[in-house]
């Protein structure tokens, strides 16, 4: 392997982005993340309350009795001797019964097949404006989370995961449940009450550093589109500035269209088609197409320069190199799906390689709690907050070149008693 790396000129890339990361990640894997055990029961109770509420709403819309596991359904049928022909029961943990509920009892027509995977369920929710498919998705996720936050996954008051460097095409650090030692995929923990579950070490603060709009900035630099670049100049929010162009100077994150604007930026940058974009945002097809067309009209460099460059390189050599020298070879059929993978590779891999560089720098001084793809969290003694913030700022000062111009990604640093309750610190 070393011989091949040398022949390909990739040994420095391996050493910087893989070899140097092994020990910091090993330490994170072994330590895990401290858990507030007093919140454990509260988190589980909130998930159970949500499940019961969604079950009631599904029952009202579908006319069925809803269960979340086979044993619960079996006990109900045995105890009540219910007439299934009159009041059918559905176990939403069963793909077969969910398929029967949606496609037979509720007469929904599938787009392609009768699968009940997340993508198909989201498409049905969009098509029929029904909460049933999305509620089933949320219940499945909640049941999974209840399992993740069960006591057997917390070892000595810590949740451990297994970070790995080799499982993603974009170079992002992947995580999964630690094999044979409990834990969970910490990169999939949703915002809200669940994140209050995780704390810093005793007597420490939980300090976060997040790259601000990294991927959108990188696309702007690759596109050579001055209009796109101006949106994010001086740390301004690209999504808010785009919203101001369309809705006026009072546009902000609280505006009803903010989510659509944010989706348009990401969808346009990564080459989504109007149908996929409509499903993602819930917009009617015509509105989704108009939003994408308007975005590309105002920022033509995204398609004319960035997308063209990616397509030309894949057509020419089936390979792309990011500013850190990371290479991705595209072996599948060259089509729009492959091109979209290329559109995602450059910004995502660049952002995560900035993150890796910052992580291995800061790990020399502070205990790293988390990697979140475009950010990291560290445990900091309360008396060292300002020193740690300065250290994070310096760690993230990672220069890289695109089209011969040097760039760095701005970061936002926050702190608090846990992962969720954070406030910004200005440095």
């Amino acid at each position: 392997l070393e011989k091949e790396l040398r022949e390909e000129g990739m040994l420095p890339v391996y050493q910087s982005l893989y070899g140097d990361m092994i020990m910091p990640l090993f330490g994170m894997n072994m330590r895990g993340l401290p858990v507030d055990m007093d919140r454990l029961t509260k988190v589980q109770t909130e998930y159970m309350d949500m499940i019961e509420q969604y079950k009631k709403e599904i029952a009202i819309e579908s006319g069925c009795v809803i269960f979340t596991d086979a044993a619960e359904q079996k006990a109900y049928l045995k105890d009540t001797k219910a007439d299934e022909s009159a009041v059918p029961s559905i176990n939403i943990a069963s793909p077969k019964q969910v398929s029967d509920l949606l496609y037979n009892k509720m007469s929904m027509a599938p787009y392609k097949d009768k699968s009940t995977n997340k993508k198909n369920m989201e498409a049905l929710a969009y098509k029929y404006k029904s909460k049933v498919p999305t509620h089933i998705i949320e219940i499945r996720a909640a049941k999974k989370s209840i399992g993740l936050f069960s006591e057997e996954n917390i070892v000595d008051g810590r949740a451990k995961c297994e970070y790995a460097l080799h499982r993603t095409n974009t170079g992002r650090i992947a995580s999964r449940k630690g094999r044979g030692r409990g834990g969970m995929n910490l990169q999939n923990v949703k915002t809200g009450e669940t994140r209050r579950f995780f704390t810093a070490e005793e007597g420490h603060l939980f300090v976060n550093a997040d790259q601000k709009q990294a991927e959108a900035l990188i696309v702007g630099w690759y596109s050579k589109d001055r209009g796109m670049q101006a949106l994010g100049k001086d740390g301004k929010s690209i999504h808010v500035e785009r919203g101001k162009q369309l809705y006026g100077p009072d546009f902000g994150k609280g505006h009803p269209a903010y989510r659509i604007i944010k989706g348009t930026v990401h969808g346009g940058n990564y080459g989504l088609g109007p149908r996929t974009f409509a499903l993602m945002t819930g917009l009617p097809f015509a509105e989704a197409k108009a939003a994408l067309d308007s975005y590309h009209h105002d920022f033509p460099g995204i398609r004319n320069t960035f997308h063209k460059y990616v397509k030309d390189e894949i057509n020419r050599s089936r390979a792309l190199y990011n500013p850190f020298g990371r290479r991705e070879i595209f072996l599948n059929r060259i089509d729009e799906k492959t091109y979209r993978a290329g559109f995602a590779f450059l910004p995502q891999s660049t952002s995560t390689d900035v993150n890796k560089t910052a992580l291995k720098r800061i790990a020399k001084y502070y205990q790293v709690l988390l990697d979140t793809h475009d950010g990291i969290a560290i445990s900091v003694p309360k008396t060292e907050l300002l020193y740690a913030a300065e250290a994070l700022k310096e760690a993230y000062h990672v220069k890289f070149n695109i089209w011969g111009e040097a760039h760095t990604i701005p970061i936002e640093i926050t702190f608090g008693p846990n992962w969720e309750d954070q406030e910004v610190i200005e440095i």
Side-chain angles (χ1 to χ4, degrees):
L1 290 173
E2 181 181 355
K3 181 176 182 292
E4 291 182 13
L5 286 168
R6 290 186 183 279
E7 289 175 350
E8 296 291 324
M10 299 295 291
L11 187 60
V13 177
Y14 165 77
Q15 188 59 53
S16 175
L17 301 179
Y18 289 86
D20 292 350
M21 293 298 302
I22 291 172
M23 291 311 297
L25 292 184
F26 178 74
M28 293 165 65
N29 288 348
M30 295 303 293
R31 286 190 304 269
L33 188 60
V35 171
D36 183 346
M37 299 302 292
D38 293 335
R39 288 188 180 271
L40 180 62
T41 303
K42 183 179 179 181
V43 170
Q44 292 173 327
T45 300
E46 289 182 351
Y47 273 124
M48 291 303 298
D49 290 344
M50 185 199 78
I51 289 172
E52 290 304 313
Q53 179 60 35
Y54 284 178
K55 282 169 59 179
K56 291 176 182 177
E57 293 180 19
I58 294 172
I60 291 171
E61 188 171 340
S62 68
C64 299
V65 181
I66 304 299
F67 300 96
T68 57
D69 62 65
E72 188 181 41
Q73 182 186 36
K74 185 176 180 180
Y76 166 79
L77 294 175
K78 181 179 179 181
D79 292 344
T80 62
K81 296 180 181 180
D83 183 354
E84 279 288 282
S85 63
V87 185
S89 65
I90 297 294
N91 169 23
I92 59 176
S94 165
K96 182 178 180 181
Q97 291 190 38
V98 171
S99 177
D100 181 56
L101 169 67
L102 298 175
Y103 303 122
N104 295 328
K105 292 182 173 62
M106 298 186 70
S107 301
M108 294 184 179
Y111 278 98
K112 292 183 178 180
D113 54 46
K114 292 189 176 182
S115 169
T116 61
N117 60 35
K118 184 178 179 181
K119 184 177 180 180
N120 279 10
M121 301 281 273
E122 289 173 342
L124 289 172
Y126 171 78
K127 182 177 181 179
Y128 291 97
K129 308 303 179 189
S130 170
K131 291 184 179 180
V132 170
T134 51
H135 280 355
I136 292 174
I137 292 171
E138 291 297 326
I139 289 174
R140 287 174 174 174
K143 292 281 285 186
K144 184 177 180 180
S145 293
I146 289 172
L148 289 175
F149 291 111
S150 60
E151 293 187 13
E152 64 264 23
N153 286 334
I154 311 298
V155 180
D156 297 327
R158 292 174 176 270
K160 297 182 179 181
C161 73
E162 186 177 283
Y163 288 104
L165 290 160
H166 64 283
R167 292 201 298 267
T168 65
N169 291 338
T170 60
R172 283 182 164 184
I173 298 173
S175 74
R176 63 184 175 190
K177 179 177 179 177
R179 288 170 288 185
R181 57 193 183 96
M184 62 194 71
N185 181 352
L186 293 170
Q187 292 171 326
N188 285 346
V189 179
K190 294 182 178 180
T191 59
E193 180 62 33
T194 306
R195 289 195 174 184
R196 293 191 176 94
F197 199 63
F198 301 99
T199 67
E201 300 293 346
E202 186 174 354
H204 286 212
L205 291 168
F206 199 108
V207 180
N208 266 316
D210 287 302
Q211 299 179 56
K212 296 174 66 175
Q213 307 176 105
E215 293 177 24
L217 286 172
I218 292 164
V219 169
W221 295 327
Y222 267 108
S223 72
K224 299 182 181 179
D225 192 301
R226 297 304 180 188
M228 175 67 175
Q229 293 170 10
L231 293 182
K233 191 175 181 181
D234 300 326
K236 292 184 292 187
S237 168
I238 290 173
H239 309 124
V240 170
E241 294 305 309
R242 175 58 176 167
K244 289 180 179 179
Q245 290 180 339
L246 300 177
Y247 295 97
D250 295 331
F251 185 91
K253 290 186 177 181
H255 194 281
Y258 178 78
R259 185 180 65 86
I260 303 299
I261 294 295
K262 186 175 181 179
T264 305
V265 172
H266 288 299
N269 290 350
Y270 292 153
L272 292 187
R275 180 180 175 275
T276 303
F277 181 62
L279 290 173
M280 181 182 78
T281 59
L283 289 173
F285 177 84
E287 291 183 26
K289 185 176 185 303
L292 285 177
D293 289 344
S294 172
Y295 182 71
H296 286 297
H297 175 270
D298 291 347
F299 309 109
I302 295 170
R303 280 179 173 167
N304 296 342
T305 302
F306 172 52
H307 288 180
K308 183 178 184 301
Y309 167 72
V310 169
K311 290 180 178 181
D312 288 348
E313 287 299 296
I314 291 176
N315 291 339
R316 181 182 66 84
S317 64
R318 286 186 172 269
L320 289 171
Y321 292 81
N322 81 357
F324 294 90
R326 178 184 294 280
R327 181 179 65 185
E328 174 67 4
I329 299 175
F330 299 84
L331 298 177
N332 293 331
R333 176 189 297 177
I334 296 179
D335 55 17
E336 290 302 317
K337 183 178 180 180
T338 300
Y339 293 144
R340 286 195 296 272
F343 304 154
F345 168 75
L346 286 177
Q348 289 182 6
S349 68
T350 302
S351 172
T352 198
D353 287 345
V354 168
N355 217 58
K356 286 188 181 71
T357 304
L359 191 155
K360 66 184 182 183
R361 288 176 176 176
I362 203 68
K364 297 176 182 177
Y365 308 103
Y366 292 99
Q367 181 174 309
V368 181
L369 298 171
L370 287 168
D371 170 90
T372 57
H373 299 313
D374 57 1
I376 55 179
I378 61 176
S379 186
V380 176
K382 293 179 180 178
T383 57
E384 296 184 25
L385 176 60
L386 293 179
Y387 296 109
E390 288 289 348
L392 279 168
K393 184 178 179 180
E394 184 175 340
Y396 270 98
H397 188 71
V398 181
K399 287 187 177 181
F400 55 91
N401 291 325
I402 295 176
W403 304 126
E405 294 183 354
H407 300 284
T408 59
I409 303 291
I411 63 168
E412 180 177 78
I413 300 175
T414 60
F415 71 97
N418 56 59
W419 192 359
E420 176 67 17
D421 298 316
Q422 297 273 304
E423 58 182 289
V424 176
I425 180 170
E426 300 292 345
I427 55 173

